[in-house]
Amino acid sequence: MSFFEIFKNTKKDASASMAKERLQIIVAHERATRDGPDYLPALQRDILEVVRRYISINPEDVAVNFDSLDDYAILELNVTLPETAPAQE
Amino acid sequence: MAKIIVVTSGKGGVGKTTTSAAIATGLAMRGYKTVVIDFDVGLRNLDLVMGCERRVVYDFVNVINEESNLKQALIKDKRIANLFVLPASQTRDKEALTKEGVGRVLEELRESFDYIVCDSPAGIEKGALMALYYADEAIIVTNPEISSVRDSDRILGILQSKSIRAEQDLEPVKEYLLLSRYDPERVNRGEMLSVGDVEEILAIPLLGVIPESKAVLKASNQGIPVIHDAESDAGQAYADSVDRFLGKDLPHRFLEVQKKGLLKRMFGG
């Protein structure tokens, strides 16, 4: 750092931490879909469609996770409902 | 029985060929009979970095198609005994690299070499998949930059699912991280991902950190692998990486900002 740069607030544009945060999220997401079976994206689409018949939700409100353990696998479905879900009669 | 090492990254321009040339040269310098193969069909460049571009007669695809034998195609390095280059084909289509063909050539090489270094092309197309398919160990070249780290993670996924070791349920490919173009000064300023950040995200053992260095361009200009430049930071960092690869436990160097003189510190530069 040169003499004149001392006066600049260098931490202000510390973009590396932003890069790390974004990477952690995208990499975790891509690993989750990579390790699972091929039908997961299609399953996610279908669930979204079914839930949408009753409640209005966004694509990101449905999370599908697949965990493979030694002798069994867990398929985890998470649907986040909006706080004021209008029930469609 | 030779070990097959793939040097790969997903992303282009991160230093795969520079690394392949340096690691292969380093292994040969330490007495191991080594061949380095260019898998980048159509975009041959390892020959330039190794400084043997004018001695290419036959290439990898010629050997696969049995238009020449291995002995005719292998180029002996001028500087180091025990080091050979198998150049990529410049003109043929990428489909020339078949699993059977590549497998046959690697099998033949395994008989007489200690190490086979496969310089992968960028991307996840045929050439890259063929370069990693038979690998025993993988060196993932990564820059401290988001797209490079993401692509490295993608390549790790492919190694774990599409290599012969994965397909046949053998012991998985051994993976190593090689972080290149590292600039400690920018890391200190919070402008660049640190070694620790990248290690944390990719979660594979660190083979080495190659600092951003003028010596790398100079080396490729001259066609002399940068590991020959023992005075340079990059050359020393590659030499350390080779020793670590062979099992030596060495501390990582060049992670801190080099001390500057008083004048430089006051006026920059």
Side-chain angles (χ1 to χ4, degrees), chain A residues 17-73:
Chain A
S17 54
M18 198 193 262
K20 186 182 179 188
E21 221 171 284
R22 291 174 59 212
L23 263 173
Q24 280 171 322
I25 294 167
I26 190 67
V27 161
H29 177 78
E30 286 177 347
R31 280 181 194 158
T33 47
R34 173 210 302 166
D35 300 334
D38 295 341
Y39 59 74
L40 281 189
L43 179 67
Q44 185 159 3
R45 268 197 309 276
D46 287 353
I47 291 168
L48 183 68
E49 206 177 295
V50 172
V51 177
R52 265 187 177 163
R53 276 187 221 153
Y54 303 92
I55 313 157
S56 140
I57 59 167
N58 295 316
E60 60 269 23
D61 293 332
V62 177
V64 181
N65 280 316
F66 188 85
D67 263 318
S68 191
L69 297 159
D70 283 345
D71 48 353
Y72 61 98

Side-chain angles (χ1 to χ4, degrees), chain B residues 81-95:
Chain B
N82 287 334
L83 180 58
F84 293 82
V85 180
L86 184 53
S89 169
Q90 196 57 304
T91 53
R92 324 229 173 182
D93 68 319
K94 307 229 172 203
E95 294 308 305

Side-chain angles (χ1 to χ4, degrees), chain B residues 183-194:
Chain B
D183 185 341
E185 205 162 311
R186 302 198 69 186
V187 171
N188 280 357
R189 287 204 297 263
E191 295 172 5
M192 183 182 267
L193 291 165
S194 70

Side-chain angles (χ1 to χ4, degrees), chain B residues 25 74 123 125 138 145 168 170 183 194 204 238 266:
Chain B
T25 304
L74 286 175
E125 302 297 317
E145 181 268 325
Q168 299 187 353
L170 302 169
D183 185 341
S194 70
I204 56 172
Y238 272 119
M266 284 184 68

Side-chain angles (χ1 to χ4, degrees), chain B residues 2 6 8 16 43 46 77 145 153 156 170 176 198 239 247 255 261:
Chain B
V6 62
T8 185
K16 283 183 296 297
L43 293 169
L46 178 68
D77 190 78
E145 181 268 325
D153 191 67
L156 286 170
L170 302 169
Y176 299 99
V198 181
L255 303 186

Side-chain angles (χ1 to χ4, degrees), chain B residues 19-32:
Chain B
T19 299
S20 300
I23 299 283
T25 304
L27 289 168
M29 281 171 157
R30 284 152 185 75
Y32 297 97

Side-chain angles (χ1 to χ4, degrees), chain B residues 123-174:
Chain B
I124 48 172
E125 302 297 317
K126 191 78 181 260
L129 295 181
M130 282 300 104
L132 67 79
Y133 186 69
Y134 293 98
D136 300 306
E137 319 214 350
I139 297 176
I140 316 294
V141 185
T142 307
N143 290 170
E145 181 268 325
I146 46 171
S147 39
S148 174
V149 177
R150 180 201 211 169
D151 289 358
S152 292
D153 191 67
R154 183 119 170 74
I155 278 291
L156 286 170
I158 292 170
L159 276 165
Q160 288 153 16
S161 62
K162 298 242 165 34
S163 62
I164 193 166
R165 284 177 171 270
E167 280 182 6
Q168 299 187 353
D169 227 351
L170 302 169
E171 197 185 316
V173 179
K174 231 181 185 177

